[in-house]
Each structure stands twice: as structure tokens, then as C-alpha cells.
Amino acid sequence: MSSEPGTNQRRADVQHVMSLRGPSRRWIGGVVTTLCIVASACTGGNTESTPDNPSSTVASPTTAAPRTTAAPRTTAPDTVTAPTTIGPEATPTFVDSNGFNDHTVPRMRSIEDFNALAHGNDTGQATVKFVVPRLLDPAGDSTFDGSSVHWADGNFYRLHDEWYWFRLLNGQSVPGFAESPVNGPRFTTIDEVYSWAKRQPPGTLPLDLTWIQQDGDNRLYSPRFYEESVGAPTRTYGVGSLIRFPDRDPSAPPHWLIQLEYTDLVSSEEVAAYFDRLRPTLPAEIGDRLRWVIRSPQQEATARAMIAGKLEYHDRVVHFSDLVAPGTVSVYGQGITAGRLLYVGDGGRQLSESTGGDILITERVPDWLPPASALITSDPQTPLAHVSLLARNRGIPNASLSGIHLNPGLRQAAVSRGYAVVVAQQAPDGASTLRILLITPEQFNNWRQKDAPPPTSVDPVSSDIPAVMDLTSIARKNPSARAIDRLRPILGGKSAGFLSLLATPGLTPPPTPVAISVGPYVEHLKPLRPTIEAAITDPAFFSSPRARWLVLEGTDDFSTMFPNQADHAFAESFIADQATTPLGKVVAAGGLRQMIEDRTVNGRTLQEITTTLSRTYADYALDAGLRFRSSSSVEDIEGFNGAGLYTSYTGYLNAKQLGPEFQDKTIERALRRAWASYWSFEAFQERSRENIDHLSGAMGLTVHARFDDELEQNNGVATFTFLRGGSGSDATLEINVQAGSVDVTNPDPTRNDLPEVLRLVRLNDELTVQRVSGSTIAPGGQVVTDAQAKELFAQTAAVADLWRTRENAALASTRQMQTLVLDFEFKTMAQGWPRLREGRPPYPPRLVIRQVRSLEPGIRSLPEEAKSLPIPLDILRRSSRINAVTCGGAARFEVLTDPFRSPDMGYTKDPFVRQVTSPGPDGPCTVRTLYESSDKYLESLASQPNALVIIDSSK
């Protein structure tokens, strides 16, 4: 897809929020700022947000939908047919008296209908969106049946407003709206609407349709629809989702939940209206079990009022935590850490108050993840939800424990901001455990001193490095591991990884990838560097995260990230106090990111880049996009991969010739935006946590053909691991793969589209395929065959073997490693990608590995003496304690490994021993500890018999 996980997704959610809440705009220091409750609040957080831009190469609009001026029916015919099969069930369809099928149905007659509308999924969680016209006054509009509900076909629509403008653009009125239908072309798919809309001159789209940004692409959007459904005091519409949620008892029937938008300021009267309108349109096995699930503090207040007054449907209120057995624990990211307890929720703190040293405890899954040392929620999380991915990227423990927010001991400790240790662990059999125990401030400070990573920076590069470098030519020289390390500061982490892909025989990575070195970025920032240096070293900049946001990102999105009145007061005061200072001038310019985006690229440099790209991709179709993928020089450095922190963009060589919708997608625009993402708030926070010199890093780019959504057969991520012990070829491959272009690396947090999960194990050259779970959108849950999974194993194993061979070639025999963990991203593309000019023979269908990076831990925290020991590097990387032992003149080193560093090296209890001198006569032994990890220190605290444990899920 078009982006990488991390800041870009949150920013896209926020942009959608900003466009929805127009009435609540206010001025802060002369800059318009929008007030919303939380990130993605106005889109409902986990219910809806703007999607990735649909394919930019779609069929032309047709006239398949008959145009008519006949008046709409006053009642909808009670006929639902099922002419189409998607997955195991037939998708129900509804045709009105005008002969129009808007891809919604007025009722679902069976659970099979639900399954079909929810992508054919018949197990686990699933969702169907709904729209309810005239929620409170169904009789107030005589043009339609007041009991009607529009249940959306999830195979056709992704967002609620698409139904609204799809009807109007096809000449059909919309129930409850006075908006006149549009006279113009007719459309059969949403993609056709996009294709047509992109060809219209700026400012000429009908209705109130507008383009908003999502991950560097555009999303067609109607502000009025959301104002009338979520933002209006007297709503025209009710919108939400029907969720099937499995019971804690697998043999029991599932729960059926009404989930509203996070910012739906719903009243008790409106809650009753949702039940009254939805239940008659559902089969009894759903309607009789229908309940309303709470999502926000405002909804909680309404629910309490309903219960206190015993109002209608007060007995149908439920929380997600009610649906999971108390004490049920799930670990999404294991680890051990320490911090100060911070409870977010009723009687607690705000999410924006969390800092990097806080153990964040929440009842509900947050819509964004602030700095934190651990995340523990009461509600269960989706493993691939946005916050789960961010927690995994940061390497912090992440778990859910049903009912944790009600634990009196924890709540009391959080009130006093007590210090604690969190241990989240997942056993080989899948069992999860969570322990939280209190420690003293002195113990916490001792840990902090041990845990603080040493400062690190990237070596400076020569000023005369080429702007563009051919990765294929470099890879043909088969550079050594050390040579690649020397190239990484020049090319960036992603391009350096491509050198291994291109050098591995039999692989088909994206054709002819090129690297834009860090040189053009350094040149672009040179005039701004004094301003940047002054800004990020100013004491006021470090005074709070709010100050850093304003300086880096400007006022845009500030109130979404920091929603309290105190935050707004801080922003007003900061802007006023800094008005005449360098910091104030940066904020007034829109923040550092905007300053970088607004600066014109040097003409000669841009010409050199454009000329090289035009020559390299001369055979590509004129409207074939190029993907400019962030390749920072501080990605994939020692012990820090930096995954998901930066943004990638699409640019077109012929943008100015392709029409108005491409004018913002030039090569120069893609360069500037990708470069600017180096200075995002989240990236800055993560680099600071790793003690990385920000100014030493730079942004390179990896360029190749963009992946056209309609040609993606599947996409996924895979982690390849050479196992310690046994045969040197023993290995595992964990695969998460999803059908089509539904993203796995950056999943849409509004949908429950879970990927297929497979685990391939090779022991003694015998390869087995284990299917862990199925995709929720693929027929039968299967995305790839065993043969396709084995092909992926073969290709990733070949890359890993080359990678390990290169690294070992630079090591002494006593330091050579067996274990290696690599992370891959891949896609299976249909014939014709990349799209070429007419007459050129098309590329065949094939598996494309698009990225590889190491997930190996670093050793920069080890003392210099320990780094050079004759110990295998993979063991050193996972060491928790290193002792030098001398007995009677004989010397040896003993190394214990960290159980939280995957894979298990086998030396958690009994150490790895390297004898360095032959044993002599028996004599007294002395033990000198060369290194003890911060994790080991916390383990010792957690194992003390008098430890004050307040949470222990194993008991």
C-alpha cells in the first residue's frame, strides 16, 4: 500500500478529524485550530477513518445505472435477492422501484446475510456498517419508509458517506436529505467515481465533495454527511456498525453489538431510537441479543443515566470488558520494563499526560499511543490494531487484562503515581501471563541508569556523493557486510536492505530500484539547519511534549493530540510568549515539517533526479506512479530499526500532463514531503528515547514502481528466524498475509480485517506448514496455498543465508553466529505490474519481496570489554549477564541470555560457557560481572520473595 505504519496513519486520521469538526474551530494566536476529543475521534477511532486512496488506475465510468427523474418511492419494496456470491454466502441485494441498486439492503433476514455483507466472514469478529435516516423523526420525511435502515455491503463500501454521494451522483435522491441528485455520468463502482472525480478541474466537483489527504493519497469526502450524522446537534442520520463479538465460551452464541462513532454525543432517547430502528430489520437471533457497547466517556455518562433512571434499554448496555472473562490476559508484545503507573479513565489522567517513563493503564484501547514504557488495557486488543503495531515497533510490553481498571490496589498505586515493574510474557504453548509489582524510587532510578542507551550518531557523509545511485549495479559487486555498513549512512536503511535482495539469486524484488542518497536532503536542509539546531536545543522546546509538537508539527492537529482546556491554554501561552523568538517564528511558519515541505528543491538537483528517473523508467506507462519510500540513515542501525516512523509518497514523472488531480503529486512534492517526515513529532520522540543525535541523521529514499492496488493479489509481512542449536539450516517463518491490497503492515483500524497467519518450520531439512488462523476476508480464510507459502520460505531463507554468510565472514570463528532474525514485506502481483507503455511485453505474475531489515538486538549497551569477547555474536546480542570467572588460574566467560529476546537461545538458566585457558589445579574461584542488562536487574527485583505484587494473572 501507500504508506508505512506509524505517524502517517495517525496524521491521516487527524486530518479527517479536522475536516469533520468545522463548527468547533477556534483561533490560537491567529492560527486556526480544531478542537476534537482524541485522535481520530471524529471518525470514531476504531469505527471509521479515511481509507487509503483507491486505485489510481480504474475503469472509466459507464452508464450502467439507469438515469431517471421519477420520484423516489414512499415505501421500499420488501424484496431482497441474492444474485452474487462472495465467499460462502450469497450477498443480498435490494433494487428499488427506480431499478437502482445502491448496494445496501433494508434488512438482514439471516446470519448468512450478515456474513455475506461482512466480507463472507463466518467466524470470529465481523462488522457491517449501517445508516439510519431520520433517526428520531422517521415520519418527518414522507419520501421513504420511516422504518428503513440501510445495511451497507462491506464488499462495496468502506465508509459511510460513500453511500450518500454514490446515490446522488447516480441521479438518486437520498432519504432525509433535500440535496438534489446530480445530472451527469453514471457509475457502477466507487472506483469509477474516483476515476471520474480525478479528471475534474479543481473546485468543480458537485455536491460538497472535496479531496482530503490520506497517507499521501486523496480520499473523496462529503463534510455535510458527517455534520448531519455525527456533528449536528439535531442529527439527520444515525450511523454506526453492527459487530459480532465471540463469547468467552466458544460453545456459546456470539454477542451482537451496536457500536457508534466515538464522538457520537448520543442521548438516551437516541440510544432507544437505534434499538427501535435496527431490531425490526434483523433476524430474531440477532435482534433479540442486540446490545449497545460503550466507547467513550460521554457515552458512559449517558449509559449511567439510563441505568440510574431505568430508562428504556438500560439493560442492553455493555462494555467490551464485560464480554471477556475477568482476569483473561492476552500478551501482544512481551517484555519486562519499569515506570510510573498512569491510569487513564474515570478518576484518572488524560492520555496526553503520558510520558516515555509511564506504564499506561486504560480501560479501553486508546485511539493513539502516546510515549509510554508499557501499555495495559482492560478491553482486548486486535493484534494488528494501530496501537499494537506501534507498541511492537517501540519494543514495549503490551497486554490486555480484563478488569484491570477495577483493581483497587492498582488504582490506589496509580493515584500516587507509584513506581512498578511490568512483566508480560507468552509461553511457547501460547499461555500469557502478566505481573505488576511495586518498587521503590531508588530501585527505579537504578534501573534507569542501567537502561539508558549510550548516545549514538550516524557518521557524516561526503558532500560530493551522487544524488541518485543504481542499487542493482551496487548489488552486482556483492558488497561485504562491512561495505554495506559503510553505504548505509549514504543510502539509508531501506536502500541498504535492497542490496541483499538484489544480490540473492532467484528473487524478484521491484525491478530497477534506485536510491536517492541523503545528499539532496542534506543540501535541502542546509539553509534551515541553524534554525533547526536552535529550535531543538532551546530549553523551551524540551519543556513539554506539547511544546515539541507545536515546534515540529505546528498548530495543525495540536488540539486532537492534546484535547484538554489546559492544553489549549498552554498553546495560547506558548505562542504568545514565543511570538518574537526563533521558536515562535517556526510555529508561525507551520512547524519544522512545513518549513521543509515549503522550501523549493535545488533546480540542478531536481533535474538530475528527474532525468535519471525518466531514463530508468522510460518504459513505464505515462500514468504509472513511482513510490518514494523513506530510507532514513538512522533506520536499521545498531539495535534500532525505526520501523514505521517516516512517511512514503507517490510521485509521477508526468504529473503536470496527467490532469488536475495529479498536480500535487510531482516528483518534487514527493521528495519534500518524505524528507520532512524525518522531523515528525513521533519520529523525534522515538529517536530521543534511543539517545540518537537527530542532526546526524538524514533522509534518503528508495524509488521503484508504486504497487497498484488492483494488481495486488495478496500482501503481507514475514519474520524469518534461524534457530539456535541443531542444524544450521533449522528455521521458522512466521507469515501474516492478507488478500488483495488490504494492508497488513498498516491495517485500517476501523475494520476487523484479520490476515491469514501461517508458521513454517524447517527441522533437519524437513519443512512443515502450520496454519494458525485464517483471513477474515478471503473465501475459506485461505490467502496462500502451501506451495506459495513454501516459495516464500525458500526466497526468504535464501536472503537470510546470504545475510548470515556476509556477517560471519567479517567475524572470527569464535564469534560467528547461528541465529538471525530478519523481517520481510512482500506482495504477490498480477501480470502487468509495473504497468508499461503500450507494446511492451508485460511483466508476469510473481512474488515480490519489497523490503528486508534485521530485527537483531544491538550490543551498543555492552561495555567495550564485553563487545569483543570470543562469544558468538547472536548470544552477545541477547545477553542478560556476562561474567568473567577464574578458578585456579583457569579463565572462562559465562553468558546468560534474555528470555524476552526472541528466539530463546537456551541459556536462560544454564549459561553459555567459553573456556579461554585450560583448567589447572583446583583453586578458589572469583567472579567478575562484566555486564548485567537492565532487564536482568528487573528480573531480580521481580523474583524477590518479598516483592509487593499487585497484579499476577497466573494466580
Side-chain angles (χ1 to χ4, degrees), residues 163 263 335 356 745:
W163 166 79
T263 50
T745 59

Side-chain angles (χ1 to χ4, degrees), residues 75 126 176 557 607 663 912 946 954:
T75 59
D557 312 344
Q607 182 62 46
Q663 297 308 297
F912 171 88
N946 59 345
S954 64

Side-chain angles (χ1 to χ4, degrees), residues 341 407 409-411 413 420 435-438 947-952:
L341 292 167
N407 184 285
L410 182 137
R411 291 290 294 270
R435 297 180 73 226
I436 302 178
L437 55 124
L438 298 181
L948 182 55
V949 180
I950 54 175
I951 296 290
D952 189 346

